[in-house]
Amino acid sequence: MIALLTLTEAPRDISTSGNYLIYNCGADADKIKSILDQTYISLQSAIESIGIPNVVYNAFFKGVDPSTVKTILQSITTGANRTVNGHGMRPTLICVTEDNPYIGVMWNRCLGKDVEAMYSINTPYIYLCPLFTKIRLYPPSIGCGRVTRAGTTLLTFEDMAFSQYTILVHELTHLYLKQDYLDPEVYEVNAALNLRSDQSIINPQNYAFYAAHIKAGCTQYPTTTTNTDRELLESDCHHTSDVIAVDPSQTVCKDDGFEATLGLCTVTA
């Protein structure tokens, strides 16, 4: 279990982007700001496409009330506060570095699993591993792939999940879904397409794929989904568990805590 950060002398390497806080990113802080800015802009198209005839939405959220998906994506664009233990907390992106004793516990997780980012349950924290800043910003249009002759499977030649935009949408969806996410999660695109509507709405990767496919201009999807087609070219090599369990005995927003030091906490009614 990973406890919430409740340290009294946290270094003040802090910057902001809208309501988001960016912590411990040093020289990469401007790059993280830029990624957030591009995410805001690109998500507008994804949000505006909800509720109109849309093959991408129908593929990843068939039968799902559009207002539910729209609420999650709008929360990401505004950086809405998360209420944790009665406190409103600003969403925070934390760069994981080996030399910071306050978050060094995450270092081995980043290196040991080839992970780009992680979400910490019941917190407003998204941890960004060093790999995150080294990958491409957006998924390529070639990642849209094509449908097999049988019309049952989407063949992809590039991993649409492996971009800063897609990963950030995935992790922030975790944050705004809170703990109500599909367990185990589904990461591979055809598996995501095969989910029932009640599953897709709580699977963060469906939100990430929807945003990525809108951005890339994808238009082709299986007319009949099945998970038995063996013609898959996309691997799951980039998809490892990205959710960190938090010790429930820990509290947040102590007067002398890490969150208070950052100015994260505002008491909510």
Side-chain angles (χ1 to χ4, degrees):
M1 294 287 234
I2 302 298
L4 286 173
L5 302 173
T6 53
L7 303 166
T8 58
E9 298 297 331
R12 298 192 64 82
D13 175 6
I14 306 164
S15 54
T16 62
S17 176
N19 195 47
Y20 284 92
L21 292 178
I22 300 168
Y23 171 62
N24 195 53
C25 293
D28 282 334
D30 285 342
K31 182 182 293 185
I32 302 303
K33 285 183 182 180
S34 177
I35 294 168
L36 274 171
D37 289 344
Q38 294 302 314
T39 297
Y40 305 151
I41 294 168
S42 296
L43 275 180
Q44 294 306 319
S45 294
I47 292 169
E48 290 168 3
S49 296
I50 296 174
I52 61 177
N54 182 341
V55 293
V56 185
Y57 185 88
N58 290 338
F60 290 106
F61 294 110
K62 46 188 174 292
V64 171
D65 181 356
S67 65
T68 304
V69 177
K70 184 176 288 190
T71 296
I72 295 293
L73 298 184
Q74 286 175 332
S75 294
I76 294 174
T77 60
T78 60
N81 280 7
R82 266 291 314 276
T83 300
V84 181
N85 292 359
H87 294 81
M89 303 179 70
R90 296 171 68 180
T92 304
L93 305 183
I94 301 174
C95 292
V96 179
T97 56
E98 185 178 22
D99 59 351
N100 188 319
Y102 301 97
I103 54 177
V105 67
M106 302 297 179
W107 182 251
N108 287 338
R109 288 176 175 267
C110 285
L111 298 186
K113 294 184 177 180
D114 196 27
V115 174
E116 300 90 14
M118 298 173 283
Y119 163 65
S120 183
I121 297 174
N122 201 35
T123 78
Y125 304 146
I126 304 297
Y127 292 92
L128 304 178
C129 296
L131 180 60
F132 180 79
T133 58
K134 296 178 173 62
I135 62 177
R136 61 194 172 212
L137 173 59
Y138 290 122
S141 57
I142 191 176
C144 293
R146 62 180 177 82
V147 178
T148 59
R149 288 184 183 179
T152 59
T153 304
L154 186 65
L155 295 179
T156 56
F157 303 91
E158 291 281 343
D159 189 349
M160 293 287 278
F162 195 53
S163 73
Q164 293 165 343
Y165 177 58
T166 315
I167 289 167
L168 195 55
V169 172
H170 177 106
E171 301 304 338
L172 290 171
T173 298
H174 264 299
L175 191 153
Y176 291 111
L177 282 175
K178 303 176 184 179
Q179 295 190 54
D180 301 323
Y181 60 88
L182 191 65
D183 187 17
E185 289 184 64
V186 165
Y187 293 95
E188 193 272 326
V189 65
N190 284 286
L193 289 168
N194 272 297
L195 291 176
R196 302 189 310 266
S197 58
D198 63 313
Q199 296 173 318
S200 64
I201 199 171
I202 56 172
N203 190 56
Q205 195 70 341
N206 282 58
Y207 291 80
F209 275 139
Y210 169 69
H213 282 231
I214 288 288
K215 178 64 181 177
C218 304
T219 59
Q220 294 188 36
Y221 298 94
T223 53
T224 303
T225 56
T226 176
N227 58 12
T228 59
D229 196 314
R230 299 178 61 85
E231 294 186 86
L232 300 182
L233 299 184
E234 181 183 49
S235 74
D236 243 7
C237 62
H238 298 299
H239 308 314
T240 54
S241 178
D242 63 331
V243 178
I244 308 164
V246 177
D247 186 343
S249 67
Q250 297 293 319
T251 58
V252 298
C253 295
K254 294 180 179 179
D255 290 341
D256 61 350
F258 173 84
E259 293 85 2
T261 303
L262 290 183
L264 283 170
C265 304
T266 56
V267 177
T268 57

